[in-house]
Amino acid sequence: MSTITETTAPTTASELVRRARRVMPGGLLGSYAMPSSVETVISHGQGARIFDVDGKSYIDYILGSGPMIVGHCHPKVVEALDRQVRRGTQYYTLSDTAIELAERLVNAIPCAEHVKLTSSGAEATFYAMRVARAATGRDKILKFKGAYHGHHDYAMTGSGMSTAGTPAAVDQTLVTATYNDIEGTLAIIADNAADLAAVIVEPVQRNTPPRPGFLEALREATSRHGIVLIFDEMVTGFRVHLEGGQGLYGVTPDLATYGKAIGGGLALAAVAGRESLMDHLNPRRNDKSGYVYMSGTLNGNPLAAAAGIATLDVLQEPGAFEQLVTVSRRLRDGLGQTLTEAGVPAHILGEGAMAAVLFAEGDPFDPATAAASDPALRSRLDAEMIERGILVNLPAKFYLSTAHNEQDVDNTIAAFGESLAAATK
């Protein structure tokens, strides 16, 4: 263990970045890194804005990678957390708060008859796959190239993201198809039906929307072959529709995984689904041979559950979600108009409270179009936008919150135009 001492308390972002790099790999929390020319350290957030330690304000479209769907420090969420922290922060057994959140999720999610709470999206998708294997007695999972279902081995393999340390044997339990390729996917399902436990899919894969009929075809094929259909609703849950992708597209899976928005910025996720499948997670079930172990010290943590309930309260207020969608549409329209006027070929995608810019021509329903989006231009634009006080991760998407208003969006569109001009000159 090395000894690290600081003779002077750091007061600037650059000093804090230096400290982070001394004690954290790459000086990063995960895989996301701001462009080095504008790298900063966040001090606090309020509403649609965050502030760095140097005092600079940014309109925030990263929103903690999506969880802050009602903005930073929403009064109802802060009040709920303050009330809960005075009651207790961790019990490892049932709490009234966790039960209420579970009830709210069952009432809101079309496929949910039961839910099981956990702490991260990766855990949720991992357990959903495990339940599917237990229920069907089959080993293989079909997933789609380029999809992201978390950081565990079964999720990372075939995701298009490079990672060392994954056992080669994991490949033998996975089958990959191309998102939105209805004919090809149905053929793969038919060829592997006897071995497939589940098909897992993001209703909107990263930023690519489903081609009309694609999700319906998955539902029909999986039902016909006795395969579990899993929707990964980490991003789409409570963001594209109050019933998630299931409500927006009218397709109900057997299991679904949720995170981000349901925790109000705290670590919380869930597996939801039909009671007959979810019973495999029941330690009291009579058939112990089908029992799927799922546990975690912080599962259903009362603080996270309280924040989640408060967040759902805000989203479900009359007109709140509709206003969020209206503001998001204003952003998409403004970005599209700016690109058209600049003569830059691109697609503007997005549903509900999110938007994405693909700097590529081609079919927006083809995931290859998203994969071809110009990375160098996106990187330059990221830096230009952050420099102008707009925090966005263009390779991912713009996340919007109920705290964003029309003036925020108009300022963002103006900054995007300036940034585009600077990045393409």
Side-chain angles (χ1 to χ4, degrees), residues 1-300:
M1 180 180 69
S2 60
T3 301
I4 297 173
T5 59
E6 291 291 332
T7 57
T8 304
T11 56
T12 66
S14 60
E15 290 173 321
L16 284 168
V17 166
R18 176 179 58 81
R19 281 182 60 187
R21 289 178 177 172
R22 290 178 63 188
V23 295
M24 304 164 74
L28 301 172
L29 294 176
S31 60
Y32 170 69
M34 287 184 182
S36 57
S37 62
V38 290
E39 189 172 16
T40 190
V41 175
I42 303 306
S43 165
H44 63 285
Q46 184 66 53
R49 292 182 174 268
I50 57 172
F51 303 81
D52 68 18
V53 294
D54 294 332
K56 184 174 180 178
S57 167
Y58 305 81
I59 303 175
D60 183 14
Y61 292 99
I62 294 181
L63 295 178
S65 191
M68 313 311 299
I69 194 168
V70 298
H72 298 279
C73 294
H74 191 286
K76 288 191 175 180
V77 177
V78 172
E79 179 185 357
L81 287 170
D82 181 65
R83 184 169 58 248
Q84 183 59 52
V85 80
R86 297 172 190 278
R87 300 174 63 211
T89 59
Q90 172 61 12
Y91 310 127
Y92 193 62
T93 188
L94 280 174
S95 69
D96 53 351
T97 316
I99 293 169
E100 181 180 349
L101 177 63
E103 290 172 337
R104 296 285 294 273
L105 294 175
V106 167
N107 288 335
I109 299 170
C111 78
E113 295 174 346
H114 280 186
V115 300
K116 190 91 167 183
L117 302 175
T118 186
S119 298
S120 73
E123 291 174 274
T125 60
F126 175 83
Y127 285 121
M129 293 180 190
R130 183 180 279 180
V131 167
R133 293 189 184 99
T136 62
R138 304 167 184 170
D139 288 339
K140 290 187 176 180
I141 305 289
L142 186 149
K143 59 178 294 193
F144 293 92
K145 300 169 188 174
Y148 181 68
H149 303 295
H151 47 68
H152 57 83
D153 290 346
Y154 296 103
M156 291 300 291
T157 300
S159 69
M161 298 181 185
S162 176
T163 182
T166 302
V170 172
D171 275 337
Q172 299 169 17
T173 67
L174 294 170
V175 178
T176 56
T178 300
Y179 183 82
N180 274 339
D181 177 3
I182 298 175
E183 183 177 342
T185 300
L186 294 184
I188 292 171
I189 290 174
D191 289 345
N192 293 273
D195 299 315
L196 279 179
V199 171
I200 185 168
V201 62
E202 296 174 276
V204 177
Q205 181 169 301
R206 304 293 76 201
N207 294 312
T208 303
R211 196 180 298 279
F214 176 66
L215 296 178
E216 292 86 346
L218 292 183
R219 176 67 285 178
E220 192 281 328
T222 52
S223 295
R224 176 157 39 91
H225 292 292
I227 298 165
V228 177
L229 179 60
I230 304 169
F231 274 11
D232 180 347
E233 296 246 36
M234 288 304 146
V235 172
T236 52
F238 296 95
R239 183 167 289 283
V240 300
H241 188 282
L242 284 175
E243 293 183 347
Q246 300 172 52
L248 182 63
Y249 300 116
V251 177
T252 304
D254 302 301
L255 294 174
T257 58
Y258 283 78
K260 296 189 185 291
I262 69 167
L266 279 76
L268 191 143
V271 181
R274 291 191 284 112
E275 182 177 359
S276 59
L277 287 170
M278 296 296 292
D279 191 60
H280 287 278
L281 297 168
N282 175 10
R284 292 175 170 150
R285 66 179 275 132
N286 292 324
D287 179 11
K288 297 300 183 184
S289 65
Y291 170 55
V292 171
Y293 182 84
M294 177 178 176
S295 189
T297 300
L298 297 176
N299 284 7

